[in-house]
Amino acid sequence: MAAIVGGYGWRTASATAEVVASGQMPLAAEASGRGSIKTIGIIGGVSWASSIEYYRLMNEMVRDRLGGVSSAQILLFSIEFGEFSKQERLADKGDWTLMTQTILDAARRLQRGGADFIVVASNTLNSLADSIEREVGLPVLHIADVTGEAIRKRGLTTVALLGTTYTMEQPFYRERLEKRGIRVVIPNQEERDYINAVIFDELCANRIRKESRDGYVRIINRLQKEEKVEGVILGCTEIPLLIKQEDVSIPVFDTTAIHAEAAVEYSLSDLKKRPVN
């Protein structure tokens, strides 16, 4: 495991923490008198391909919001996905013990590092949000809640949900949307198997194939025509690497971007308002 500390020159993580705790290194927002910025804790690496997007989007959003060379205040713990993927296969068979332990360990590392809240950079693993909050004591910004709010603001009532098999088939995601009056439609069994295989065999390795994009578009078009869906949730943080709004005629809800924006808004919620530079 490597520790990389940026922004104040090189120093060890423990040395940086000591300086911050002693008050010798005030956070940028506090030093400027604008109020405090909440530190975003990201559980990433599940997979690294989508974690890159979270990091990029959050920093771009803060820059656009605050201007100048401003950037997001983030702690990122990136899980080693090779071993974790084996734990996921056990979870698929009903044994969540190891995978839950790994996620809770990541959350505790972020807590010790000073995160104020947690973002799990995976739709599927937001199913563990309640466990994280209960065991670690930090709030978790649930991806289904912020996605549901985005759908509600668009005035849609029926949407398709694409994601891993677990996300599509289990109730943890669908129920949060249904509480907001949103009807959720999932693909058929053959389509679900195909969507899941593309995620794990291609997208998690950052392999983007036109053939797979075409396959996803066919599924979305069928759901629009036959199930009358009004929009589609890209309910795996890797799917936005493959499918863009221009690929289909109905609104797409990019959960990575929605989640990142909600995290930035919460992170900056205590800042005093000021014009963008």
Side-chain angles (χ1 to χ4, degrees), residues 7-274:
Y8 291 100
W10 187 92
R11 47 172 100 224
T12 65
S14 59
T16 300
E18 290 172 1
V19 174
V20 172
S22 70
Q24 298 175 40
M25 187 191 295
L27 299 178
E30 293 172 344
S32 68
R34 291 189 280 125
S36 62
I37 294 177
K38 298 183 185 72
T39 300
I40 305 168
I42 304 176
I43 298 178
V46 284
S47 67
W48 64 264
S50 61
S51 298
I52 291 171
E53 291 301 298
Y54 269 91
Y55 187 78
R56 178 183 64 82
L57 287 167
M58 287 177 178
N59 280 290
E60 289 178 350
M61 290 171 182
V62 171
R63 177 202 63 197
D64 293 345
R65 167 84 173 265
L66 301 182
V69 294
S70 297
S71 60
Q73 190 161 286
I74 295 170
L75 285 173
L76 167 64
F77 183 81
S78 187
I79 292 168
E80 196 285 295
F81 192 68
E83 184 62 30
F84 188 77
S85 65
K86 300 175 185 176
Q87 298 175 10
E88 283 192 312
R89 286 192 283 273
L90 290 174
D92 284 340
K93 297 176 182 178
D95 184 358
W96 281 68
T97 304
L98 289 177
M99 192 168 76
T100 300
Q101 289 175 354
T102 298
I103 294 299
L104 290 177
D105 173 69
R108 291 187 181 104
R109 290 171 186 262
L110 293 173
Q111 179 196 45
R112 292 195 297 269
D116 292 302
F117 67 102
I118 287 177
V119 170
V120 185
S122 159
N123 282 266
T124 298
L125 295 176
N126 271 258
S127 60
L128 295 173
D130 291 342
S131 295
I132 294 170
E133 291 186 338
R134 182 175 61 253
E135 298 295 331
V136 180
L138 287 180
V140 178
L141 190 63
H142 201 294
I143 197 168
D145 290 341
V146 297
T147 298
E149 185 63 17
I151 295 167
R152 189 191 63 79
K153 287 180 178 179
R154 291 291 297 269
L156 307 187
T157 58
T158 303
V159 295
L161 173 61
L162 274 59
T164 64
T165 299
Y166 188 86
T167 296
M168 290 186 285
E169 295 180 354
Q170 296 302 311
F172 80 97
Y173 209 102
R174 181 182 67 252
E175 287 178 350
R176 287 178 178 263
L177 298 176
E178 289 174 345
K179 287 179 181 178
R180 288 171 165 77
I182 300 166
R183 174 174 170 257
V184 178
V185 176
I186 63 172
N188 62 39
Q189 182 66 63
E190 182 179 355
E191 292 168 338
R192 295 198 300 273
D193 290 344
Y194 173 75
I195 290 167
N196 191 75
V198 169
I199 290 170
F200 285 101
D201 296 342
E202 300 174 20
L203 300 183
C204 285
N206 207 28
R207 292 177 55 216
I208 312 300
R209 300 174 64 245
K210 180 182 181 301
E211 295 83 358
S212 298
R213 178 179 296 110
D214 293 342
Y216 272 48
V217 168
R218 283 194 296 272
I219 293 169
I220 294 169
N221 288 343
R222 184 194 71 76
L223 292 170
Q224 179 186 9
K225 180 179 179 181
E226 298 180 10
E227 302 289 346
K228 310 303 181 186
V229 301
E230 304 163 309
V232 56
I233 300 170
L234 306 184
C236 172
T237 52
E238 283 81 24
I239 295 179
L241 301 172
L242 184 71
I243 296 296
K244 309 295 183 185
Q245 180 60 72
E246 59 265 25
D247 295 319
V248 294
S249 60
I250 57 176
V252 301
F253 293 90
D254 178 342
T255 55
T256 302
I258 291 169
H259 206 197
E261 182 175 14
V264 165
E265 289 299 316
Y266 186 59
S267 174
L268 303 183
S269 59
D270 291 337
L271 288 186
K272 297 175 183 177
K273 300 296 183 182
R274 72 166 192 176

